[in-house]
Amino acid sequence: MAMELDKAEFPGWDPGESDETAAPDPGLAPVPSPDPKTAPVPGLAPDPGLAPVPGTAPIPKTAPDPGPAPVPGPARDPGTVLPKSRLIRFFVLRPGTFENALTDIRARMDPQVDGELQSSWLVTEVDHWNQEGERIAAITERSLLICKYDFMMLSLQSCRRIPLNYIDSLVHGTLTLPPHSVSRREGQGLRVHWDKLREAPFTSRWNPWSNDIPYTTFIEHPVKGATEMFTSKCQLEMFQAQLAAAVQRAYGVDPVPGRANGALILNRPIVIDTYVGLISLISNQNKLGYSLARGSVGF
């Protein structure tokens, strides 16, 4: 049963209008269709990004931390440790050669004069003409033996004996030469003086092969640092300490008149009094004072 509605009860409504042609409600805005490019993917939470927290200042961007800076190691003296390609040329580094040298030195020692062997050292002797020579310094109870040993032929060539109670002074310091000298010498050295009452004659000072000089100078051997054994055997400061202690003991047991106070321990520059030094320049440059493998010839 159709019901007729009074138009007066619904003002603004025309019964002839259909629902399909009714005007949209102006109070509701149309909802736009989502953009497929920016629409969120179902099942995934949106990326919050680096949005700043409300009420706080944005955090400035900083470069990545590169880590702690490397600490530079101590500078190495180039004259102390040689490259391995040059170290292997020294015959003293051959297994058993240094021990064989000590056996030969013990056979040369005189128990009545020298006593027992206390310590042995591999050093380089620098003579009064600035020439280098490979030496074994043996400290006994009563003597300092400076031995020249051929590590290639395994033979003891010479051995100088210096009574410990004749040693006057031990001087440690920087090696220097006269201002106008052609020779060059750097580094630290140890000079051993004995028989201070005797002056070296003029002919001996100008003879590069003379052994009649009442002092000698030692520096560290080039193979120092090659192995643990040779690192200790080539320590010049330890050699000085052992020699100073042995000298003091020798003075206490057998003092020499006029030297009752023992040897002086000094720290000052060591002057090598050579000017031209052509012989030492050629010898030291080619290390002729060492037992080396030189191609097909070793000496």
Side-chain angles (χ1 to χ4, degrees):
M1 177 176 179
M3 297 179 63
E4 294 182 2
L5 299 178
D6 189 2
K7 186 177 181 180
E9 295 180 0
F10 299 94
W13 174 69
D14 188 2
E17 296 177 354
S18 64
D19 294 339
E20 296 180 357
T21 60
D25 187 0
L28 297 177
V31 180
S33 59
D35 188 357
K37 295 182 179 181
T38 60
V41 179
L44 294 178
D47 184 10
L50 298 177
V53 179
T56 60
I59 301 176
K61 295 183 179 180
T62 57
D65 186 8
V71 179
R76 189 183 68 177
D77 184 4
T80 301
V81 181
L82 295 176
K84 184 177 180 181
S85 59
R86 298 181 61 185
L87 282 174
I88 60 176
R89 298 170 55 196
F90 287 86
F91 281 99
V92 68
L93 296 179
R94 302 299 196 266
T97 53
F98 189 81
E99 291 76 8
N100 189 84
L102 294 182
T103 302
D104 293 345
I105 292 173
R106 284 190 176 95
R108 181 74 65 91
M109 290 170 50
D110 187 347
Q112 301 298 326
V113 178
D114 303 315
E116 295 293 331
L117 180 64
Q118 302 294 316
S119 60
S120 58
W121 309 84
L122 181 65
V123 295
T124 295
E125 184 181 25
V126 180
D127 63 12
H128 59 293
W129 271 57
N130 196 33
Q131 296 183 96
E132 297 181 1
E134 191 174 41
R135 300 290 184 267
I136 294 178
I139 301 176
T140 70
E141 292 179 336
R142 293 182 287 272
S143 304
L144 170 64
L145 304 179
I146 305 175
C147 304
K148 182 180 180 181
Y149 193 84
D150 187 347
F151 290 100
M152 175 183 170
M153 302 301 297
L154 301 179
S155 63
L156 183 60
Q157 297 183 339
S158 64
C159 195
R160 282 189 295 164
R161 177 180 288 107
I162 303 170
L164 293 179
N165 56 357
Y166 271 64
I167 295 178
D168 305 317
S169 60
L170 302 176
V171 183
H172 181 271
T174 305
L175 301 174
T176 60
L177 290 101
H180 303 289
S181 176
V182 179
S183 301
R184 292 291 179 268
R185 172 67 64 186
E186 297 178 353
Q188 302 289 313
L190 173 66
R191 176 164 289 180
V192 181
H193 290 265
W194 63 89
D195 201 2
K196 64 180 179 181
L197 301 179
R198 182 175 63 88
E199 184 70 21
F202 176 81
T203 54
S204 297
R205 293 199 308 267
W206 285 93
N207 181 3
W209 296 280
S210 174
N211 288 325
D212 193 21
I213 303 293
Y215 64 84
T216 190
T217 307
F218 298 106
I219 62 174
E220 290 182 339
H221 197 282
V223 301
K224 177 187 176 183
T227 64
E228 184 177 354
M229 185 192 79
F230 285 103
T231 299
S232 60
K233 287 292 183 182
C234 300
Q235 284 277 357
L236 191 64
E237 294 183 356
M238 291 299 298
F239 169 59
Q240 176 186 350
Q242 294 279 338
L243 181 58
V247 169
Q248 292 302 116
R249 289 193 299 266
Y251 270 91
V253 174
D254 187 15
V256 177
R259 306 175 187 175
N261 295 329
L264 297 176
I265 311 298
L266 304 175
N267 191 353
R268 65 186 183 190
I270 300 173
V271 180
I272 300 177
D273 195 12
T274 179
Y275 289 88
V276 179
L278 182 59
I279 296 177
S280 64
L281 181 64
I282 298 175
S283 176
N284 297 341
Q285 189 72 22
N286 296 278
K287 296 194 178 299
L288 300 180
Y290 301 87
S291 296
L292 284 177
R294 309 175 192 274
S296 59
V297 179
F299 58 91

